[in-house]
Amino acid sequence: MRIAMIGTGYVGLVSGACFADFGHKVTCVDKDSAKIESLNAGRMPIWEPGLEALVKSNEERGRLKFTTNLQEGIANAEAVFIAVGTPARRGDGHADLTFVFEAVRELAKVIRPGTVVVTKSTVPVGTGDEIERILREEGVTDVSVASNPEFLREGAAIADFKHPDRIVVGANDQRAEAVLKEIYRPLFLNRAPILFTARRTAELTKYAANAFLAVKISFINEIADLCEAVDADVQDVARGIGLDNRIGAKFLHAGPGYGGSCFPKDTLALLQTADKFGVDQRIVRTTVEVNDDRKASMVERVSNALGGDLKGKRVAVLGLAFKPNTDDMRDAPSIPLVNALVERGAEVSAFDPVAREQAEKIFTGIQFASDAYEAAADADVLVIVTEWDEFRALELDRIADSLRGKVLVDLRNVYDRKDAEAAGLAYYGVGRGSFGRA
Ligand code: NAD
């Protein structure tokens, strides 16, 4: 199949490269010329494991191209995917569809009859209808519009794309269904479940999935608070419930609250849809509140571990990206924490294995270290914010030697209290006994 991918960000680039790897001919289009130049020079604009090799091998086979020219990009394409950003609109949290509609209007000028337009961006229910309306308004006829939400996770994006739990396709006509079936055939043969639904159903499915995962995280975070009050261990509670197949073990890790480019904005957008249709979603609304409060309260944990005053204290922060294996800083829990530490007069020295460049655009007045031990040097406390693998195997004795104050605040429960204490560190985890609460 010949495929065009409009938007070459985390989702568009990974999806485009994976489709090419399936054997399709893919052209990725982006209006950001710096991004396209960098890709054409062999440099990845994002950090994602395995991506560079995948892009390179498919370019060499002549199956993957990059351009800023939309007309050239979609020439002869049987399917055009839209994978542009849909951030939260400032003020109300509605999904900002400016990029999607802009892309559709540009597309309308050059698209050929018979093409299938597929929305891969996460878009509110009814966006497919609106895309159809815009195309009609621009005089385009005989084009199908389908929804194919993406469920990949940054940091494991290629594996997720190639071995998905399921593929959801929302199509209201047979042509769109047939084209998408052909595009995903290699996965279909691997027995990845492919679910065909009405277009609106597919659009809502993506929001329902992310909202449910967000609920799980907020749920276990509240249970963690209860564990601290009653002297129970949330790690064991999570395991005890997660082994139940009806519950499942994933997304039951207590921590500093969820962040990233999807859950915060998608939960807000779901609430906007609910408002628009007059159907309250109390569980999701509460989840958002719980998470906002949680992220804002992490500074108290650090402060409490230091006796309640942060002024003049030096805080080493390990991990800034919203999760490991990505450089994505969007809505990362590190942002409110680091900003609050600085506001309360602490000095921050931070280290992240790959997100420094992104972080430098966000934080002012903090120092960046080149490894965990340098960050820890002369600090009063070490705070683990993102659970990169390399933070799971720190030499705790060496950390304790570097630190001025012997305190470890482990917001990801990476370490066992006894190991930390054996190294001479006072240990504060999340939901692991009666300590660390605000
Ligand atoms: P991103 O910001 O990384 O990339 C979007 C790209 O689209 C940018 O490179 C931008 O320059 C380009 N773009 C915008 N308007 C354009 C236009 N008119 N023509 C050509 N290019 C244009 O975004 P992302 O993280 O890849 O997310 C894209 C969509 O996928 C969002 O709706 C998001 O919610 C959804 N999604 C993201 C993830 C994730 O983990 N990042 C996972 C699943 C779904």
Side-chain angles (χ1 to χ4, degrees):
M1 301 290 279
R2 285 178 304 269
I3 296 172
M5 186 66 65
I6 305 184
T8 309
Y10 283 89
V11 166
L13 181 54
V14 170
S15 310
C18 288
F19 280 146
D21 213 43
F22 294 169
H24 302 308
K25 280 200 130 188
V26 181
T27 307
C28 291
V29 184
D30 205 289
K31 63 177 186 181
D32 181 342
S33 52
K35 205 172 252 191
I36 295 299
E37 264 168 40
S38 138
L39 281 161
N40 280 330
R43 287 188 309 274
M44 296 302 106
I46 54 166
W47 197 88
E48 180 64 41
L51 187 62
E52 191 168 338
L54 188 75
V55 166
K56 195 163 171 249
S57 79
N58 283 286
E59 272 186 304
E60 280 167 6
R61 291 187 172 88
R63 296 195 297 234
L64 183 61
K65 284 199 297 197
F66 301 99
T67 179
T68 51
N69 183 325
L70 183 66
Q71 184 160 15
E72 175 195 316
I74 70 157
N76 301 320
E78 285 135 313
V80 178
F81 285 78
I82 298 176
V84 301
T86 50
R89 199 160 67 189
R90 260 177 208 285
D92 64 6
H94 193 284
D96 184 346
L97 296 174
T98 313
F99 297 125
V100 174
F101 295 148
E102 253 175 37
V104 172
R105 285 189 195 281
E106 287 159 21
L107 197 55
K109 295 184 203 138
V110 286
I111 200 165
R112 289 178 317 128
T115 312
V116 179
V117 175
V118 190
T119 316
K120 204 164 234 331
S121 299
T122 303
V123 294
V125 176
T127 303
D129 304 352
E130 186 59 15
I131 292 175
E132 231 167 42
R133 197 193 59 72
I134 294 174
L135 289 172
R136 260 200 319 273
E137 190 180 281
E138 301 286 332
V140 176
T141 51
D142 195 30
V143 163
S144 303
V145 178
S147 160
N148 170 222
E150 184 48 58
F151 297 96
L152 64 76
R153 293 163 301 167
E154 286 173 20
I158 294 169
D160 281 354
F161 197 90
K162 290 190 168 181
H163 307 281
D165 290 338
R166 80 304 206 185
I167 300 149
V168 174
V169 171
N172 290 352
D173 66 86
Q174 302 245 309
R175 175 171 58 198
E177 199 171 309
V179 164
L180 279 152
K181 205 178 240 171
E182 187 54 28
I183 288 173
Y184 280 109
R185 203 160 52 90
L187 294 183
F188 203 47
L189 296 176
N190 290 343
R191 296 191 183 280
I194 182 161
L195 183 68
F196 288 99
T197 70
R199 195 169 57 205
R200 283 179 162 241
T201 307
E203 289 168 339
L204 184 57
T205 303
K206 171 67 190 175
Y207 285 101
N210 276 0
F212 189 78
L213 294 172
V215 168
K216 268 187 113 174
I217 294 171
S218 281
F219 174 81
I220 202 66
N221 281 337
E222 286 204 316
I223 295 291
D225 286 348
L226 192 53
C227 284
E228 286 170 10
V230 302
D231 239 334
D233 189 320
V234 75
Q235 301 282 99
D236 291 339
V237 173
R239 191 164 155 74
I241 64 173
L243 285 168
D244 184 328
N245 283 334
R246 293 167 303 175
I247 296 173
K250 304 231 170 100
F251 284 77
L252 287 180
H253 300 288
Y258 60 77
S261 65
C262 292
F263 290 1
K265 81 172 172 62
D266 291 347
T267 44
L268 289 180
L270 180 68
L271 292 177
Q272 285 295 319
T273 301
D275 266 6
K276 179 173 160 192
F277 289 90
V279 181
D280 199 6
Q281 297 285 301
R282 279 179 290 170
I283 293 174
V284 179
R285 189 153 35 81
T286 306
T287 295
V288 170
E289 283 166 20
V290 168
N291 195 61
D292 287 348
D293 290 352
R294 185 151 194 98
K295 281 161 98 175
S297 72
M298 287 302 113
V299 67
E300 304 302 345
R301 286 180 180 258
V302 181
S303 174
N304 289 349
L306 291 176
D309 189 9
L310 286 165
K311 208 165 175 50
K313 295 282 166 46
R314 188 170 169 86
V315 180
V317 169
L318 296 191
L320 296 167
F322 87 92
K323 67 172 178 180
N325 296 321
T326 182
D327 61 350
D328 200 338
M329 287 288 302
R330 288 179 279 188
D331 272 319
S334 66
I335 299 174
L337 172 60
V338 168
N339 285 340
L341 288 169
V342 172
E343 265 162 38
R344 294 198 193 184
E347 238 179 73
V348 174
S349 74
F351 170 66
D352 187 284
V354 303
R356 176 170 177 167
E357 203 180 315
Q358 301 301 327
E360 277 174 340
K361 297 178 197 156
I362 294 170
F363 299 119
T364 45
I366 73 166
Q367 292 161 22
F368 290 95
S370 51
D371 65 28
Y373 302 97
E374 191 185 311
D378 288 328
D380 294 285
V381 56
L382 183 78
V383 187
I384 299 178
V385 183
T386 312
E387 69 282 29
W388 282 88
D389 273 350
E390 65 180 85
F391 303 153
R392 292 179 185 277
L394 294 171
E395 293 168 49
L396 290 181
D397 292 335
R398 210 176 136 198
I399 289 286
D401 279 349
S402 305
L403 286 168
R404 180 167 63 201
K406 310 292 177 203
V407 183
L408 174 60
V409 175
D410 180 3
L411 297 181
R412 299 289 182 172
N413 290 343
V414 167
Y415 287 97
D416 278 336
R417 167 189 296 280
K418 62 175 176 4
D419 294 336
E421 287 178 351
L425 295 166
Y427 179 81
Y428 298 86
V430 173
R432 308 176 93 180
S434 51
F435 43 78
R437 299 203 73 205

